[in-house]
Amino acid sequence: MESLQALIEQIVTARTLITASFSQLRSKGEATYSKVQIKPVELKGKLHYQFAYFTGPKVEHRNIPEEQAAEEMMALLRATFRQALVCTAEADYQVLISKKFKVSVLTKSPTKKTAGSLAHNRKKQYVLDEGEPVPFLVELGIMNAEGKVLAKKYDKFRQINRFLEMVEDVLADLPSGRPLTIVDFGCGKSYLTFALYHYLAVRERRELSIVGLDLKADVIAHCSELADKLGYDKLRFLVGDIAEYNELEQVDMVVTLHACDTATDAALEKAVRWGASVILSVPCCQHELFGQIDNDVLSPLLSHGILKERFSALATDAIRAKLLDLVGYRTQLLEFIDMEHTPKNILIRAVKSPSGDQAAKWREYAAFRDFLGAKPYLERALEGRLPAGQAVE
Ligand SMILES: C[S@@+](CC[C@H](N)C(=O)[O-])C[C@H]1O[C@@H](n2cnc3c(N)ncnc32)[C@H](O)[C@@H]1O
């Protein structure tokens, strides 16, 4: 059965399946479906597999995300069916499974053509490819030694790739011709810190040093051990508070992903003080504005806790983006990962660039801040760098 499993997984991973049909029940007495047909479908822009389970004249459909499709197919082939016809873009596979689970696979020329929007090989081009073992992903338990991503780690794999796409987009904005200094504030278990090191130092062969900083001593000790094991000798992990970190004079890129509340602001302030060329920040929980916002006009919205919380979080990010604009950054807010995985999915990407009309931007910012009755931490922290005499008390 292992070779069959490998074949099914390879077909699903390569996204070449056109249709599959499973038949011939292993046990006729079993009250179960008599046949299952499978085809790829796109739902909300994502590849799924539609399983049609036939019981007499009835058919029940289930749409299964691609990460779970191979597992479901193998479960059916192990327990229920002894015959399968799997049609892919490359070949048709006629599968026979004996009563004693001996598998024979006959490979024939393809008889089915791909059709519609799923016609083309839709394999997503990730920065890190599945099938190619990457040492840090293997060590972190995201891939196995053969490079296969574990089903329950697929979201993490996608998040890492999404993050690296964002980094890829700003490569040209980083200084060249000298080693880079990068800090990851609130690095936690450091999946993304290791990813950044792998991508920049190992793959792109950039000379650099990266510091990961976090409050949690045990987590940092574990990350340090892993960096040693991987031979990532320019990746250091330190225990400390973002607001008190004063080790470096100059930093080229600051990353801060899901650091809590105003820890994100402390990180942004440090980045601005260093004149970092690039800032990548995904804020986490945001409590500061929630306690400050006060405006009668907004009371229909602010009187509902859940709406007030969401609104405060969005307003906080708008304020951060505008303040970064005001101190000389071109700032974008991007979707980090799908909303369905976490609502904390906005990435602030700021790239140092010449500023436009600061006075007009300041007026816009101050009007927004005053309307909300907000006294943002970041504005106070950036005092002296903002247009003179306007910071809040
Ligand atoms: C939700 S985790 C995110 C970890 C990682 N950046 C990621 O995105 O997977 C937030 C981390 O920020 C750290 N943190 C929160 N406030 C901090 C502060 N003031 N200084 C340093 N680390 C902080 C926490 O200890 C925690 O490990």
Side-chain angles (χ1 to χ4, degrees):
M1 291 300 264
E2 275 112 60
S3 58
L4 179 58
Q5 176 162 354
L7 174 68
I8 297 285
E9 283 174 357
Q10 182 260 315
I11 289 168
V12 171
T13 305
R15 296 182 167 179
T16 51
L17 183 79
I18 301 169
T19 60
S21 177
F22 296 175
S23 56
Q24 202 183 342
L25 285 176
R26 178 161 284 283
S27 153
K28 292 239 165 49
E30 226 174 280
T32 180
Y33 15 84
S34 53
K35 183 170 75 172
V36 173
Q37 285 181 343
I38 304 155
K39 64 176 184 184
V41 289
E42 191 170 309
L43 295 173
K44 293 189 187 157
K46 284 182 161 185
L47 180 60
H48 287 65
Y49 287 87
Q50 185 175 82
F51 284 62
Y53 303 83
F54 291 80
T55 317
K58 282 202 231 141
V59 53
E60 181 201 333
H61 291 101
R62 277 175 63 203
N63 294 318
I64 294 184
E66 66 169 322
E67 304 83 61
Q68 293 155 24
E71 214 174 295
E72 173 66 9
M73 287 185 213
M74 281 312 296
L76 291 168
L77 293 172
R78 278 200 189 95
T80 313
F81 295 107
R82 293 184 44 207
Q83 199 166 306
L85 178 64
V86 181
C87 300
T88 74
E90 279 114 29
D92 287 2
Y93 301 95
Q94 177 79 54
V95 179
L96 296 173
I97 307 170
S98 76
K99 285 192 176 146
K100 293 187 173 166
F101 295 95
K102 192 166 173 297
V103 176
S104 62
V105 178
L106 207 62
T107 306
K108 297 182 179 166
S109 307
T111 55
K112 296 235 179 336
K113 281 203 180 127
T114 45
S117 63
L118 288 164
H120 311 290
N121 184 344
R122 295 173 41 87
K123 186 162 167 48
K124 170 121 178 66
Q125 288 302 303
Y126 286 127
V127 179
L128 300 176
D129 270 330
E130 181 164 14
E132 207 180 285
V134 180
F136 87 91
L137 290 174
V138 175
E139 289 295 334
L140 289 169
I142 291 173
M143 276 182 170
N144 65 16
E146 285 72 52
K148 175 161 173 46
V149 176
L150 275 65
K152 60 179 188 293
K153 294 288 180 183
Y154 232 98
D155 284 350
K156 200 78 206 167
F157 180 67
R158 257 197 286 267
Q159 187 198 47
I160 289 171
N161 268 299
R162 178 76 179 132
F163 173 64
L164 293 180
E165 275 169 26
M166 308 266 184
V167 175
E168 198 174 32
D169 287 350
V170 294
L171 274 185
D173 297 300
L174 289 166
S176 54
R178 64 167 173 80
L180 298 172
T181 306
I182 299 174
V183 176
D184 184 351
F185 280 133
C187 56
K189 289 187 187 156
S190 300
Y191 289 76
L192 298 167
T193 332
F194 284 106
L196 191 59
Y197 190 93
H198 169 83
Y199 177 65
L200 289 175
V202 182
R203 233 174 94 158
E204 292 294 307
R205 296 178 184 277
R206 294 293 307 257
E207 260 193 79
L208 54 71
S209 62
I210 302 186
V211 171
L213 185 91
D214 202 284
L215 290 171
K216 295 180 190 151
D218 55 337
V219 176
I220 287 297
H222 182 258
C223 293
S224 298
E225 272 172 32
L226 184 53
D228 278 352
K229 188 170 179 189
L230 290 162
Y232 288 1
D233 57 346
K234 300 281 187 209
L235 175 56
R236 288 186 300 137
F237 289 98
L238 302 173
V239 180
D241 189 322
I242 298 167
E244 283 155 26
Y245 179 71
N246 284 314
E247 190 200 33
L248 297 167
E249 295 284 302
Q250 184 269 329
V251 171
D252 300 302
M253 175 163 158
V254 170
V255 174
T256 176
L257 304 166
H258 307 114
C260 323
D261 201 15
T262 52
T264 293
D265 299 297
L268 296 178
E269 188 275 330
K270 287 268 186 302
V272 171
R273 188 166 351 138
W274 283 321
S277 305
V278 172
I279 305 171
L280 297 179
S281 170
V282 179
C284 183
C285 48
Q286 293 154 348
H287 307 302
E288 192 199 22
L289 239 64
F290 186 88
Q292 297 177 351
I293 287 185
D294 183 18
N295 183 312
D296 288 346
V297 178
L298 295 176
S299 74
L301 188 143
L302 300 180
S303 57
H304 300 283
I306 186 168
L307 296 185
K308 184 174 176 187
E309 194 183 314
R310 290 187 192 175
F311 180 73
S312 305
L314 294 173
T316 303
D317 286 339
I319 284 174
R320 287 172 174 149
K322 206 73 210 165
L323 287 169
L324 288 172
D325 260 9
L326 278 161
V327 292
Y329 283 84
R330 190 178 72 245
T331 309
Q332 294 168 289
L333 298 190
L334 306 164
E335 185 170 72
F336 184 36
I337 43 168
D338 297 346
M339 259 320 250
E340 71 186 71
H341 298 301
T342 168
K344 294 165 194 165
N345 73 337
I346 291 178
L347 181 132
I348 302 175
R349 183 164 72 191
V351 174
K352 206 158 174 49
S353 68
S355 305
D357 179 352
Q358 295 304 82
K361 280 187 194 167
W362 176 260
R363 281 194 298 279
E364 190 185 44
Y365 166 75
F368 183 61
R369 173 202 65 194
D370 294 343
F371 179 71
L372 298 175
K375 298 178 179 10
Y377 173 111
L378 187 58
E379 183 185 330
R380 296 195 301 278
L382 292 175
E383 199 177 353
R385 292 183 180 79
L386 293 165
Q390 305 272 357
V392 286
E393 289 161 20

